[in-house]
Amino acid sequence: MLTHLTLRDFAVVSAAELEFGRGMTVISGETGAGKSLLVDALGFLSGLRADSGMVRHGAERAELSAEFDLADRAEALEWLREQDMLDDGDASAACHLRRTLRSDGGSRAWINGRPVTVAQLAELAGLLVEIHGQHEHQALLSKASQLDLLDAFGRHAAPLAAVRDAAAAWSALQRERDILSRAGDVSDRIELLDHQWRELDRETLEPASIVDLVAQHRRHANAAGLIDTCERALTTLEGDDAPSLLQTLQSLRGDLARARSDEPRLGEVDGMLDAAAIQIDEATRLLQRIRDDLDLDPDQFEALEERLGRLHELGRKHRVLPEALLDVRERLATELESLRNAGTRLTTLDGEIARAADRWSDAAADLTAARRAAAATLSQAASALIAELGMGGGRFEIALEPVDAGRPDPQGAERVEFLVSANAGQPPRPLRKVASGGELSRVSLAIEVAALGLDAVPTMVFDEVDSGIGGAVAEIVGQKLRALGEKRQVLCVTHQPQVAAQGHAHYRVSKAEAAGMTQSAVQKLGPKERQEELARMLGGVEVSREARAAAKRLLDSVA
C-alpha cells in the first residue's frame, strides 16, 4: 500500500508531500492545475522513460519518492530479499522508491537507498502499483497480467500449481536425458575414469593416514640430527665424562641438608630439588627411548619418500591437495557408476518422460476447463458493469488462445487475450488496442470491480476514469471505485463531483502565480473544505447556495 508520495521541482510543483491510507483517495482540481501530475510521478517511479520536460523550469533536477507498506505483500518482500535490498535484522515492511530526473535528460533510481536500474525499479513497482488511464504503463494491457488476473479470479492456485509441478518434473527428466544423449559413446570416458580410480584406490587416502605419513617422512629425513641431539642431551644428563646432573643435584641436596638446622626455609628448597631430580630422571629415560626408536634405515626412508611422491603426483594430476584425493576418488566412483548405467537409464528415462508429459496434459486439461468457466463468469460480470459505466451496448470477452510450445508449459496450454467492444455492433478488439483513454479506464475499472480486485497489485490508480461521462453514470463510477477500495487501495484523479464524493479521503490541487511563475499546491481537505470543493465542481467559479446544498447531499448520501 502506498503511504507517502513526495515531489520536488516536478513540472509546476515546487514541493508537495502527500500521505495516503486505505480505501479510495480522490484528487481534484481546476483544469490545468496539475492534478494528473501525481499520476505522472507514480508513472516515473514505476519505470517510465525519463522526460527532462518534467523538470521544473529553473531547477537542475526533479526528485520523486514514494513509500510503500509491504506488510501484506510477501511477493514484493521476497523480491527485495532476492535483490539484497533488505537490511539484516530489519523487521519493518516499509519500502522506499526514489528517482531523480535531470534537466539534461538523465535520471537515477534507488530502492531502499540502494542504486538500481530503471528496469529493476519497474519490476518492483509492477508488484506494488497499477495505473489505469491514458498511459502506456498499464499492467492490465499485458497478456501475462491478464492471465494472472483470470487465474486469481477463478482461484486456480491448486490446478496451476499442479501444471507447474508437472512441467518442472518433465523438464528435469528431459535435461537428464539430454545430458546422457550428448555424452554419446562413453566407453573411452569409462576407461579413463576407471584408470584414474584404480590409481587412487591403490593408495591409503584417509586424511589422518596422510598426516601420519608426512610426520614419519619428516622424522626419517631428520633422523641423524635427532639422534645427535638426543646423544648430546643424554651425555649432559648421565655424565659419562663428568659428574651427571643427578649426581650434582644429590651433592647439592646434602650440603643444604647440613645447613637446614640453621635455616628452616632451606627444607623447602630441598623439596623443589627433589622434585627436579625426579623430572630429570624421567626425562633421561624418555630420551633413551626416543634415541632407541630413531633408526637410520635408508630403505624405509626411501619407501616413505616414494609413497609421499606418488600422493603429490596424484594431487597435481587432479589439481587438489593430497588431503583431498579421497573426495576425488569418491567422485570418480560416482561418475563411473552413472556412466556404466547410462544405457539402462536412457531406456527408463524415455518411459518416465512420456508419463510426465501425460501427467502435465491431464493437469493442463483441468486448468483449461477451470479457465473457461472463470472466463465466462468474468466476461458476463464485466460486460454488465461496462453498460452501467455509460458504454451501452459494449461487451467484454476473454479469448483463450492455445499455445503449442512443443513441451509442457508451466503456465498451461493457453494464453488469454482480453477483448472489448465499446459500442453495439462493433467486433471485440484486444483491450490494448482500445483508442479512447476514457473508455480504456472505464473498461479497466469494470474488469477490476468484476474481479473484486483479485489481482495481486495492492494500489490501483485511475486517471480521469470519468472522462466524458456525468450525472448518474458518474455516480455509478464513483460507487464502483469505492467498492474496489474495500479490497484494494484506490487513487482516482477526477473532475466529477459524484465520483469525488465517494472517496474516503480527498486532495485538491490548485495553481497560483508566485514570483512570475505558475506553481501548483496540493492540500488535503477536511469535511468543510471538501464540501466547498464539491460545490465548486458542481457550480463552477461562482459557488452558489444551491451548489453547496447539492454538495452536502452528495456527501450525506455516501455517509
Side-chain angles (χ1 to χ4, degrees):
M1 180 181 74
L2 177 66
T3 58
H4 292 84
L5 178 65
T6 303
L7 290 68
R8 295 281 186 276
D9 295 324
F10 182 65
V12 293
V13 178
S14 174
E17 186 169 348
L18 296 83
E19 293 186 4
F20 298 97
R22 298 187 180 276
M24 173 184 171
T25 298
V26 296
I27 302 167
S28 66
E30 296 178 359
T31 301
K35 51 184 179 294
S36 289
L37 288 176
L38 304 179
V39 179
D40 294 336
L42 286 173
F44 286 115
L45 286 168
S46 298
L48 284 181
R49 179 179 296 179
D51 182 357
S52 61
M54 299 304 292
V55 180
R56 185 167 172 264
H57 180 68
E60 293 183 359
R61 66 174 183 264
E63 295 195 14
L64 311 170
S65 67
E67 291 185 17
F68 291 84
D69 182 354
L70 306 185
D72 56 352
R73 293 297 297 134
E75 188 177 359
L77 283 170
E78 182 60 28
W79 188 93
L80 289 171
R81 290 190 186 95
E82 291 176 354
Q83 301 291 325
D84 195 24
M85 293 183 188
L86 283 180
D87 294 329
D88 294 338
D90 186 359
S92 69
C95 174
H96 183 214
L97 308 184
R98 178 170 171 250
R99 191 174 182 190
T100 60
L101 309 175
R102 295 199 306 270
S103 58
D104 61 5
S107 77
R108 296 184 64 190
W110 295 263
I111 297 175
N112 286 345
R114 294 168 172 81
V116 296
T117 65
V118 173
Q120 287 176 302
L121 188 71
E123 187 176 353
L124 177 59
L127 302 174
L128 301 177
V129 62
E130 184 174 288
I131 300 175
H132 299 269
Q134 301 174 34
H135 299 272
E136 293 180 356
H137 181 74
Q138 298 181 50
L140 205 57
L141 300 184
S142 159
K143 284 190 174 183
S145 297
Q146 293 173 2
L147 184 63
D148 290 342
L149 178 60
L150 179 62
D151 284 333
F153 175 77
R155 293 176 171 84
H156 299 152
L160 183 58
V163 168
R164 286 173 175 165
D165 291 345
W170 183 91
S171 296
L173 292 169
Q174 188 62 49
R175 281 195 300 271
E176 184 181 355
R177 192 189 190 290
D178 291 343
I179 291 171
L180 291 177
S181 297
R182 284 196 299 269
D185 184 2
V186 295
S187 58
D188 291 342
R189 178 66 176 169
I190 289 176
E191 184 178 351
L192 172 62
L193 294 179
D194 184 65
H195 171 72
Q196 293 177 336
W197 180 84
R198 291 181 183 278
E199 274 188 329
L200 294 173
D201 193 51
R202 286 193 290 264
E203 306 293 339
T204 303
L205 300 178
E206 284 70 19
S209 174
I210 295 177
V211 170
D212 182 62
L213 171 64
V214 173
Q216 288 187 55
H217 180 268
R218 185 182 298 114
R219 188 164 58 250
H220 278 75
N222 297 313
L226 289 171
I227 290 173
D228 180 64
T229 299
C230 290
E231 290 289 357
R232 285 187 286 105
L234 285 171
T235 298
T236 302
L237 290 173
E238 293 177 337
D240 291 343
D241 300 326
S244 69
L245 191 56
L246 283 175
Q247 291 172 338
T248 302
L249 281 176
Q250 292 299 335
S251 176
L252 179 58
R253 288 185 64 200
D255 294 340
L256 293 174
R258 289 189 289 272
R260 189 166 55 189
S261 59
D262 298 326
E263 176 52 76
R265 287 180 296 175
L266 292 176
E268 185 177 352
V269 175
D270 180 64
M272 294 178 183
L273 292 176
D274 182 44
I278 295 172
Q279 293 292 324
I280 290 173
D281 183 58
E282 292 181 357
T284 301
R285 295 177 187 276
L286 180 58
L287 268 173
Q288 290 170 343
R289 288 197 298 273
I290 294 172
R291 182 196 58 189
D292 294 341
D293 289 341
L294 292 171
D295 188 7
L296 291 174
D297 186 347
D299 294 336
Q300 186 175 6
F301 176 68
E302 184 178 355
L304 293 170
E305 184 88 4
E306 288 180 357
R307 183 184 169 199
L308 191 60
R310 289 197 303 272
L311 292 179
H312 281 294
E313 179 63 27
L314 288 169
R316 284 191 293 271
K317 180 182 293 186
H318 295 283
R319 298 182 180 181
V320 297
L321 295 174
E323 293 81 356
L325 287 171
L326 181 62
D327 293 335
V328 173
R329 187 178 69 186
E330 292 176 352
R331 188 171 66 250
L332 291 175
T334 300
E335 186 177 353
L336 268 172
E337 183 179 1
S338 173
L339 291 176
R340 284 167 176 159
N341 295 330
T344 304
R345 180 58 180 155
L346 273 173
T347 302
T348 59
L349 270 174
D350 288 337
E352 291 181 16
I353 289 171
R355 288 189 292 273
D358 290 341
R359 286 193 295 273
W360 177 86
S361 295
D362 293 341
D366 292 341
L367 180 59
T368 297
R371 282 173 171 168
R372 284 200 183 104
T377 302
L378 181 56
S379 296
Q380 184 178 2
S383 293
L385 285 165
I386 286 174
E388 288 186 60
L389 296 177
M391 297 170 63
R395 69 182 189 277
F396 173 76
E397 296 179 4
I398 299 177
L400 271 63
E401 303 171 344
V403 294
D404 184 12
R407 55 188 295 143
D409 191 308
Q411 291 185 295
E414 61 279 319
R415 297 295 183 267
V416 302
E417 178 82 78
F418 285 5
L419 307 174
V420 64
S421 172
N423 301 290
Q426 291 183 347
R429 294 187 301 149
L431 180 63
R432 64 181 185 276
K433 295 183 179 179
V434 173
S436 167
E439 288 177 347
L440 179 58
S441 293
R442 276 177 277 163
V443 170
S444 300
L445 174 61
I447 295 170
E448 294 292 354
V449 173
L452 300 176
L454 284 173
D455 57 347
V457 179
T459 299
M460 298 180 181
V461 182
F462 291 90
D463 184 19
E464 302 288 355
V465 69
D466 47 16
S467 176
I469 62 173
V473 174
E475 186 173 356
I476 293 172
V477 169
Q479 291 171 352
K480 300 305 181 185
L481 285 169
R482 187 178 179 92
L484 186 59
E486 300 297 329
K487 299 289 184 180
R488 291 285 186 268
Q489 183 187 42
V490 172
L491 278 61
C492 177
V493 175
T494 180
H495 59 266
Q496 292 288 351
Q498 294 89 345
V499 175
Q502 296 288 335
H504 297 92
H506 192 154
Y507 278 96
R508 179 180 63 208
V509 181
S510 59
K511 65 178 180 179
E513 185 175 326
M517 294 182 63
T518 300
Q519 298 187 14
S520 289
V522 183
Q523 177 186 7
K524 189 171 185 179
L525 304 181
K528 292 184 178 180
E529 295 164 324
R530 189 176 184 191
Q531 181 176 332
E532 194 69 14
E533 173 66 3
L534 291 181
R536 181 199 64 77
M537 297 171 75
L538 284 164
V541 177
E542 296 295 331
V543 179
S544 65
R545 180 185 305 174
E546 290 78 8
R548 290 189 175 94
K552 185 175 186 303
R553 285 195 299 272
L554 280 177
L555 292 172
D556 290 343
S557 67
V558 175

